[in-house]
Amino acid sequence: QVQLVESGGGSVEAGGSLRLSCAASGRTFSTYAMAWFRQTPGKERELVAGITSRSLSTWYEDSVKGRFTISRNNAKNMVYLQMNSLKPEDSAVYYCAARAFSGAWTQPADTNYWGQGTQVTISS
């Protein structure tokens, strides 16, 4: 069982930066691939970025490539999403996600555990 708690959301102006953090419980955190998804009202939850269990590989949704960076610290059971050059279209609820396999995944249905979400609002 893994519990995920996000923090770091908030409101910033376009062009600004935010850093999301996700604290994970459980001794097996280092065996999980981790990801960030986001969702806006009326839309499907979509992948933003992911990272394999030992940080050997990362993957990103096309619109955030070059602006967002996912990272993790297995010693601290933490996952981060550094978001730079934010745009109004990045506004969403951001969810931390875990999957009990080390490889990449992109579909919400393949996620094993979700955090409660944190709101990110970007004003123009």
Side-chain angles (χ1 to χ4, degrees):
Q1 187 77 11
V2 175
Q3 293 185 327
L4 306 172
V5 179
E6 301 97 335
S7 61
S11 298
V12 297
E13 292 185 349
S17 298
L18 283 173
R19 187 195 196 205
L20 304 183
S21 299
C22 174
S25 66
R27 292 177 294 174
T28 58
F29 172 76
S30 63
T31 66
Y32 284 77
M34 300 296 296
W36 290 92
F37 287 75
R38 65 187 178 188
Q39 189 170 23
T40 54
K43 292 191 175 182
E44 297 283 330
R45 193 169 295 188
E46 66 172 5
L47 173 83
V48 177
I51 188 167
T52 52
S53 60
R54 299 192 180 278
S55 304
L56 294 179
S57 179
T58 58
W59 57 99
Y60 297 90
E61 195 270 329
D62 285 345
S63 70
V64 308
K65 287 180 180 177
R67 300 188 298 120
F68 291 12
T69 303
I70 188 171
S71 61
R72 66 189 294 165
N73 184 327
N74 286 349
K76 295 183 177 181
N77 281 18
M78 296 292 295
V79 180
Y80 307 99
L81 184 68
Q82 178 67 44
M83 305 186 294
N84 299 327
S85 301
L86 283 160
K87 304 175 181 181
E89 51 264 43
D90 294 318
S91 297
V93 178
Y94 283 71
Y95 295 90
C96 183
R99 185 167 186 256
F101 295 96
S102 60
W105 89 102
T106 62
Q107 298 302 311
D110 295 328
T111 299
N112 296 123
Y113 301 102
W114 293 102
Q116 83 287 352
T118 185
Q119 178 70 48
V120 171
T121 302
I122 312 302
S123 59
S124 58

